Amino acid sequence: MNLLLFSLFREKKRRRVVELAEKMVVDGGDGSTCEWEGRWNHIKKFLERSGPFTHPDFEPSTESIQFMLETCKILVIGAGGLGCELLKDLALSGFRSIHVVDMDTIDVSNLNRQFLFRPKDVGRPKADVAADFINSRIPGCRVVPHFKKIQDLDETFYKQFHIIVCGLDSVVARRWMNGMLLSLLVYEDGVLDTGSIIPLIDGGTEGFKGNARVILPGMSACIDCTLELYPPQINFPMCTIASMPRLPEHCIEYVRVLLWPKVSPFGGRKSNFFYCVALDGDDPEHIQWVYQKSLERAAEFNIRGVTYRLTQGVVKRIIPAVASTNAVIAAACATEVFKIASSAYIPLNNYMVFNDVDGLYTYTFEAERKENCSACSQVPVDLHFSPSSKLQEVLDYLTESASLQMKSPAITAAVEGKNKTLYLQSVASIEQRTRPNLSKTLKELGLTDRQELAVADVTTPQTMLFRLCFTS
């Protein structure tokens, strides 16, 4: 990261510290600090004296530690394997105003690595239990839980934080969080106001591999700039799972994709309308039903290996987790939070990869910002299609492109002066009405060269703009 830009960002933050320090006290209790002599000596060694690795403009003082202890608000997204480690590291590093968001409840399978939970906690919200554990073990720390989806919280909620740390296992959730922080940026005459930047620290693990990255929205590469680094989610061919299953995963996918919506085991009736309840990977009854039907499917084709745990893994797209990898990546992320909050050290620039599959290997590199990134470039992304191309081809491109990887894009455009929904999948009645458009050509739909398309998707809270560029 450019040192000048970081210095501007740091000074903006420091001005906010001056404004907030006199007003803001860590929430909770009676306001007591629960301090004792020497409690923060390990932190003071970094902040109250200079060193060979400090930021060139760093001046030792007591201001940084007071900001961390009394003012700085951190948001942790996810309270799973990575989230538990993050909460522990941040709390022990002197951050005492922490919020945590997680929509999951505790399962028995979590207990081998998510160390804030105990057998008695099974079935309870992860966020609630994690917050209670940290609050009870670390005096003066106040962790506020939010048992809900990140999409259920609005801009006002996210604006209150100085730094956001992600410990997620979902690319979709990462992209949504990335989009939210980009939407909070303020531009004055086309110039980014650095005071509107909320740094995003993102960590991810997969078995014995992991990564940590620092994102300054609007300044450095965002999640969507490097979307190619996240391989598209593996999907099994429909013909295989429907007629020629060979693996236990094929049997589970058959039940998940085909049998569940057909049978609708947990469906119900609302007025005169029958509806199908969506499969919930966190509902034991749902998983048990899928497991039993998958066993029947596997027996029919003499396939072995279907287990309850595998069923849950396929349904929830669970990635194998290793406790030691979570600990390393969480430590790296917490260190970056400390660097940015204290302004004492230059943060990671901007991507760190960790691998201990065969020995120990780690390296860092600078992920470059894409000029035409659909999320952060502020300009429409060009889509090159022939006027005779069908809308289905555009939809396929949006979902299959490695740089976009959308899930269920809704496409609208201004046709003859009116906003027209060309296709929307998430609402059944509108999907049925707009489905014929998929077989129509772009010309038949009234679209023209340089036409702008507005696309909404679950991967981002923002509507993305694309520009049709007709090819001959």
Side-chain angles (χ1 to χ4, degrees), residues 363-379:
Y363 69 98
T364 64
F365 67 93
E366 180 181 0
E368 296 184 357
R369 188 178 178 191
K370 288 175 61 176
E371 293 183 0
N372 63 339
C373 174
S374 60
C376 71
S377 67
Q378 300 257 306
V379 296

Side-chain angles (χ1 to χ4, degrees), residues 176-197:
W176 191 94
M177 196 67 247
N178 178 71
M180 171 55 73
L181 295 186
L182 288 171
S183 72
L184 298 180
L185 297 178
V186 175
Y187 290 85
E188 298 176 359
D189 297 325
V191 179
L192 175 63
D193 178 5
T194 55
S196 65
I197 295 174

